Amino acid sequence: QLQLQESGPGLVKPSETLSLTCTVSGATISNTSYYWGWIRQPPGKGLEWLGSAHYDGTTFYNPSLKSRLTISVDTSKTQFSLRLTSVTAADTAVFYCARHSSYYDSSGYVKTSPDYWGPGTLVTVSS
Amino acid sequence: SYELTQPPSVSVSPGQTARITCSGDALPQKYAYWYQQKSGLAPVLVIFEDTRRPSGIPLRFSGSSSGTLATLTISGAQVEDEADYYCYSTDNGVNHEAVFGGGTKLTVL
């Protein structure tokens, strides 16, 4: 049974780098059909898709965060990670990791969508 | 940037049909997905690829899509269906811009 679990510091100082890891169990992280990604939810607000990555190195990012965000997959550890640089209080949120299913649209472009989610972890940005 | 628009709230009585809409310019060409999020929990996928239901999701949940509008229908809504519901989709471009709608609070009482 697929399980995902986020881990990382719950408190990050402004201007520093937020780093989270998602550990995957019950599935092969190098399965070509899946991407692995992150979604966040500020307290009391809606969901924001951050990005997804394939084990072959292909990545997709939210354009509003692309300059600060890196998502990578480590097949040796069945983990994937998120790095968000230069954080501010506006980055305070519950961060969810999620497996993403993929398909090719009519133009041949890859599209992905989250299907299984981890329970989430709250990260607060504060000094 | 691409946007999906949902009504902030929908309210029905138990046993009635709840319909939640999601509007987006790329929906005629791109799939819509629907997620249920109960208070304090992670979202759960309830509809994928416009109309398909994952295993374990009750039959009363269904999805449809026509033109720029996708709809989640809960036939015979139950008290336990009270939750926030989010649609998700992608744009038409090569750069894979994916977005969630703003969410709809479903009240069943």
Side-chain angles (χ1 to χ4, degrees), chain A residues 38-61:
Chain A
W38 296 88
I39 299 101
R40 71 179 179 181
Q41 184 172 36
K45 296 187 177 182
L47 301 170
E48 181 181 27
W49 182 80
L50 302 183
S52 60
H54 196 262
Y55 82 95
D56 69 0
T58 303
T59 54
F60 300 114
Y61 295 122

mmCIF file of all heavy atoms in Angstrom, chain A residues 38-61:
data_model
loop_
_atom_site.group_PDB
_atom_site.id
_atom_site.type_symbol
_atom_site.label_atom_id
_atom_site.label_comp_id
_atom_site.label_asym_id
_atom_site.label_seq_id
_atom_site.Cartn_x
_atom_site.Cartn_y
_atom_site.Cartn_z
ATOM 1 N N TRP A 38 4.897 18.445 -4.903
ATOM 2 C CA TRP A 38 4.549 19.146 -3.677
ATOM 3 C C TRP A 38 3.416 20.140 -3.901
ATOM 4 O O TRP A 38 3.331 20.786 -4.958
ATOM 5 C CB TRP A 38 5.774 19.892 -3.144
ATOM 6 C CG TRP A 38 6.889 18.987 -2.738
ATOM 7 C CD1 TRP A 38 7.897 18.509 -3.535
ATOM 8 C CD2 TRP A 38 7.117 18.436 -1.436
ATOM 9 N NE1 TRP A 38 8.733 17.695 -2.802
ATOM 10 C CE2 TRP A 38 8.276 17.637 -1.514
ATOM 11 C CE3 TRP A 38 6.464 18.559 -0.194
ATOM 12 C CZ2 TRP A 38 8.791 16.963 -0.399
ATOM 13 C CZ3 TRP A 38 6.974 17.875 0.905
ATOM 14 C CH2 TRP A 38 8.128 17.093 0.791
ATOM 15 N N ILE A 39 2.568 20.258 -2.897
ATOM 16 C CA ILE A 39 1.467 21.214 -2.851
ATOM 17 C C ILE A 39 1.509 21.847 -1.460
ATOM 18 O O ILE A 39 1.871 21.187 -0.484
ATOM 19 C CB ILE A 39 0.109 20.491 -3.044
ATOM 20 C CG1 ILE A 39 0.051 19.794 -4.409
ATOM 21 C CG2 ILE A 39 -1.038 21.457 -2.890
ATOM 22 C CD1 ILE A 39 0.294 18.298 -4.361
ATOM 23 N N ARG A 40 1.158 23.110 -1.364
ATOM 24 C CA ARG A 40 1.115 23.749 -0.055
ATOM 25 C C ARG A 40 -0.234 24.428 0.185
ATOM 26 O O ARG A 40 -0.975 24.715 -0.757
ATOM 27 C CB ARG A 40 2.254 24.751 0.130
ATOM 28 C CG ARG A 40 2.127 26.018 -0.692
ATOM 29 C CD ARG A 40 3.310 26.948 -0.410
ATOM 30 N NE ARG A 40 3.242 28.172 -1.208
ATOM 31 C CZ ARG A 40 4.144 29.143 -1.170
ATOM 32 N NH1 ARG A 40 5.200 29.029 -0.364
ATOM 33 N NH2 ARG A 40 4.013 30.222 -1.921
ATOM 34 N N GLN A 41 -0.509 24.681 1.465
ATOM 35 C CA GLN A 41 -1.777 25.289 1.854
ATOM 36 C C GLN A 41 -1.535 26.231 3.030
ATOM 37 O O GLN A 41 -1.353 25.763 4.163
ATOM 38 C CB GLN A 41 -2.801 24.213 2.225
ATOM 39 C CG GLN A 41 -4.181 24.745 2.544
ATOM 40 C CD GLN A 41 -5.198 23.627 2.702
ATOM 41 O OE1 GLN A 41 -4.886 22.543 3.215
ATOM 42 N NE2 GLN A 41 -6.418 23.864 2.242
ATOM 43 N N PRO A 42 -1.512 27.536 2.811
ATOM 44 C CA PRO A 42 -1.392 28.479 3.929
ATOM 45 C C PRO A 42 -2.549 28.299 4.897
ATOM 46 O O PRO A 42 -3.651 27.901 4.484
ATOM 47 C CB PRO A 42 -1.444 29.851 3.247
ATOM 48 C CG PRO A 42 -1.048 29.595 1.827
ATOM 49 C CD PRO A 42 -1.582 28.224 1.516
ATOM 50 N N PRO A 43 -2.339 28.581 6.169
ATOM 51 C CA PRO A 43 -3.410 28.391 7.159
ATOM 52 C C PRO A 43 -4.697 29.091 6.759
ATOM 53 O O PRO A 43 -4.708 30.293 6.464
ATOM 54 C CB PRO A 43 -2.806 29.003 8.431
ATOM 55 C CG PRO A 43 -1.338 28.869 8.253
ATOM 56 C CD PRO A 43 -1.091 29.043 6.787
ATOM 57 N N GLY A 44 -5.792 28.345 6.709
ATOM 58 C CA GLY A 44 -7.098 28.898 6.396
ATOM 59 C C GLY A 44 -7.333 29.230 4.936
ATOM 60 O O GLY A 44 -8.358 29.827 4.595
ATOM 61 N N LYS A 45 -6.388 28.860 4.067
ATOM 62 C CA LYS A 45 -6.512 29.211 2.653
ATOM 63 C C LYS A 45 -6.563 27.962 1.768
ATOM 64 O O LYS A 45 -6.597 26.840 2.257
ATOM 65 C CB LYS A 45 -5.361 30.122 2.244
ATOM 66 C CG LYS A 45 -5.376 31.475 2.965
ATOM 67 C CD LYS A 45 -4.330 32.414 2.415
ATOM 68 C CE LYS A 45 -4.399 33.769 3.094
ATOM 69 N NZ LYS A 45 -3.404 34.730 2.541
ATOM 70 N N GLY A 46 -6.550 28.179 0.461
ATOM 71 C CA GLY A 46 -6.664 27.087 -0.491
ATOM 72 C C GLY A 46 -5.340 26.434 -0.840
ATOM 73 O O GLY A 46 -4.284 26.793 -0.328
ATOM 74 N N LEU A 47 -5.430 25.465 -1.747
ATOM 75 C CA LEU A 47 -4.267 24.689 -2.171
ATOM 76 C C LEU A 47 -3.501 25.402 -3.281
ATOM 77 O O LEU A 47 -4.103 26.028 -4.158
ATOM 78 C CB LEU A 47 -4.720 23.317 -2.682
ATOM 79 C CG LEU A 47 -5.488 22.443 -1.702
ATOM 80 C CD1 LEU A 47 -6.077 21.228 -2.425
ATOM 81 C CD2 LEU A 47 -4.587 21.998 -0.560
ATOM 82 N N GLU A 48 -2.196 25.287 -3.246
ATOM 83 C CA GLU A 48 -1.333 25.832 -4.292
ATOM 84 C C GLU A 48 -0.387 24.739 -4.779
ATOM 85 O O GLU A 48 0.393 24.196 -3.995
ATOM 86 C CB GLU A 48 -0.531 27.028 -3.785
ATOM 87 C CG GLU A 48 0.373 27.642 -4.848
ATOM 88 C CD GLU A 48 1.193 28.814 -4.352
ATOM 89 O OE1 GLU A 48 1.480 28.874 -3.133
ATOM 90 O OE2 GLU A 48 1.563 29.673 -5.167
ATOM 91 N N TRP A 49 -0.453 24.417 -6.073
ATOM 92 C CA TRP A 49 0.458 23.446 -6.659
ATOM 93 C C TRP A 49 1.840 24.066 -6.804
ATOM 94 O O TRP A 49 1.972 25.173 -7.330
ATOM 95 C CB TRP A 49 -0.071 23.009 -8.021
ATOM 96 C CG TRP A 49 0.761 21.971 -8.693
ATOM 97 C CD1 TRP A 49 0.760 20.636 -8.460
ATOM 98 C CD2 TRP A 49 1.713 22.199 -9.739
ATOM 99 N NE1 TRP A 49 1.661 20.006 -9.284
ATOM 100 C CE2 TRP A 49 2.262 20.946 -10.088
ATOM 101 C CE3 TRP A 49 2.171 23.338 -10.416
ATOM 102 C CZ2 TRP A 49 3.229 20.800 -11.067
ATOM 103 C CZ3 TRP A 49 3.121 23.190 -11.401
ATOM 104 C CH2 TRP A 49 3.651 21.934 -11.722
ATOM 105 N N LEU A 50 2.862 23.375 -6.320
ATOM 106 C CA LEU A 50 4.222 23.911 -6.348
ATOM 107 C C LEU A 50 5.027 23.352 -7.516
ATOM 108 O O LEU A 50 5.716 24.093 -8.229
ATOM 109 C CB LEU A 50 4.953 23.610 -5.049
ATOM 110 C CG LEU A 50 4.305 24.147 -3.774
ATOM 111 C CD1 LEU A 50 5.162 23.834 -2.563
ATOM 112 C CD2 LEU A 50 4.042 25.637 -3.882
ATOM 113 N N GLY A 51 4.971 22.034 -7.723
ATOM 114 C CA GLY A 51 5.744 21.453 -8.798
ATOM 115 C C GLY A 51 5.830 19.946 -8.677
ATOM 116 O O GLY A 51 5.393 19.363 -7.685
ATOM 117 N N SER A 52 6.411 19.315 -9.713
ATOM 118 C CA SER A 52 6.589 17.867 -9.698
ATOM 119 C C SER A 52 7.855 17.497 -10.454
ATOM 120 O O SER A 52 8.327 18.266 -11.300
ATOM 121 C CB SER A 52 5.367 17.158 -10.292
ATOM 122 O OG SER A 52 5.145 17.557 -11.628
ATOM 123 N N ALA A 53 8.392 16.318 -10.129
ATOM 124 C CA ALA A 53 9.642 15.866 -10.736
ATOM 125 C C ALA A 53 9.576 14.387 -11.057
ATOM 126 O O ALA A 53 8.937 13.611 -10.330
ATOM 127 C CB ALA A 53 10.811 16.137 -9.789
ATOM 128 N N HIS A 54 10.235 13.996 -12.137
ATOM 129 C CA HIS A 54 10.350 12.599 -12.540
ATOM 130 C C HIS A 54 11.737 12.087 -12.150
ATOM 131 O O HIS A 54 12.681 12.879 -12.055
ATOM 132 C CB HIS A 54 10.147 12.493 -14.059
ATOM 133 C CG HIS A 54 9.861 11.130 -14.559
ATOM 134 N ND1 HIS A 54 10.841 10.332 -15.103
ATOM 135 C CD2 HIS A 54 8.715 10.413 -14.616
ATOM 136 C CE1 HIS A 54 10.314 9.186 -15.487
ATOM 137 N NE2 HIS A 54 9.020 9.196 -15.201
ATOM 138 N N TYR A 55 11.856 10.795 -11.976
ATOM 139 C CA TYR A 55 13.154 10.255 -11.577
ATOM 140 C C TYR A 55 14.204 10.485 -12.665
ATOM 141 O O TYR A 55 15.403 10.479 -12.374
ATOM 142 C CB TYR A 55 13.038 8.772 -11.227
ATOM 143 C CG TYR A 55 13.063 7.831 -12.404
ATOM 144 C CD1 TYR A 55 14.249 7.232 -12.808
ATOM 145 C CD2 TYR A 55 11.907 7.544 -13.117
ATOM 146 C CE1 TYR A 55 14.276 6.371 -13.882
ATOM 147 C CE2 TYR A 55 11.922 6.697 -14.197
ATOM 148 C CZ TYR A 55 13.112 6.100 -14.579
ATOM 149 O OH TYR A 55 13.132 5.254 -15.657
ATOM 150 N N ASP A 56 13.783 10.726 -13.913
ATOM 151 C CA ASP A 56 14.749 10.960 -14.990
ATOM 152 C C ASP A 56 15.252 12.406 -15.002
ATOM 153 O O ASP A 56 16.050 12.766 -15.872
ATOM 154 C CB ASP A 56 14.154 10.586 -16.351
ATOM 155 C CG ASP A 56 13.033 11.529 -16.804
ATOM 156 O OD1 ASP A 56 12.697 12.488 -16.081
ATOM 157 O OD2 ASP A 56 12.475 11.301 -17.905
ATOM 158 N N GLY A 57 14.771 13.228 -14.046
ATOM 159 C CA GLY A 57 15.255 14.596 -13.943
ATOM 160 C C GLY A 57 14.320 15.645 -14.508
ATOM 161 O O GLY A 57 14.540 16.841 -14.314
ATOM 162 N N THR A 58 13.267 15.215 -15.220
ATOM 163 C CA THR A 58 12.282 16.168 -15.735
ATOM 164 C C THR A 58 11.548 16.830 -14.582
ATOM 165 O O THR A 58 11.129 16.159 -13.642
ATOM 166 C CB THR A 58 11.262 15.458 -16.631
ATOM 167 O OG1 THR A 58 11.944 14.787 -17.688
ATOM 168 C CG2 THR A 58 10.279 16.459 -17.210
ATOM 169 N N THR A 59 11.420 18.161 -14.660
ATOM 170 C CA THR A 59 10.716 18.883 -13.608
ATOM 171 C C THR A 59 9.719 19.867 -14.194
ATOM 172 O O THR A 59 9.906 20.385 -15.306
ATOM 173 C CB THR A 59 11.697 19.658 -12.711
ATOM 174 O OG1 THR A 59 12.519 20.503 -13.541
ATOM 175 C CG2 THR A 59 12.581 18.721 -11.905
ATOM 176 N N PHE A 60 8.664 20.126 -13.422
ATOM 177 C CA PHE A 60 7.682 21.151 -13.749
ATOM 178 C C PHE A 60 7.487 21.997 -12.492
ATOM 179 O O PHE A 60 7.330 21.451 -11.404
ATOM 180 C CB PHE A 60 6.344 20.532 -14.153
ATOM 181 C CG PHE A 60 6.422 19.628 -15.354
ATOM 182 C CD1 PHE A 60 6.173 18.274 -15.238
ATOM 183 C CD2 PHE A 60 6.743 20.137 -16.603
ATOM 184 C CE1 PHE A 60 6.234 17.439 -16.343
ATOM 185 C CE2 PHE A 60 6.808 19.313 -17.716
ATOM 186 C CZ PHE A 60 6.552 17.956 -17.586
ATOM 187 N N TYR A 61 7.460 23.313 -12.667
ATOM 188 C CA TYR A 61 7.336 24.212 -11.522
ATOM 189 C C TYR A 61 6.233 25.231 -11.726
ATOM 190 O O TYR A 61 5.954 25.655 -12.844
ATOM 191 C CB TYR A 61 8.653 24.964 -11.276
ATOM 192 C CG TYR A 61 9.810 24.089 -10.864
ATOM 193 C CD1 TYR A 61 10.984 24.055 -11.614
ATOM 194 C CD2 TYR A 61 9.736 23.311 -9.707
ATOM 195 C CE1 TYR A 61 12.054 23.262 -11.223
ATOM 196 C CE2 TYR A 61 10.804 22.511 -9.317
ATOM 197 C CZ TYR A 61 11.958 22.498 -10.080
ATOM 198 O OH TYR A 61 13.016 21.712 -9.687
#
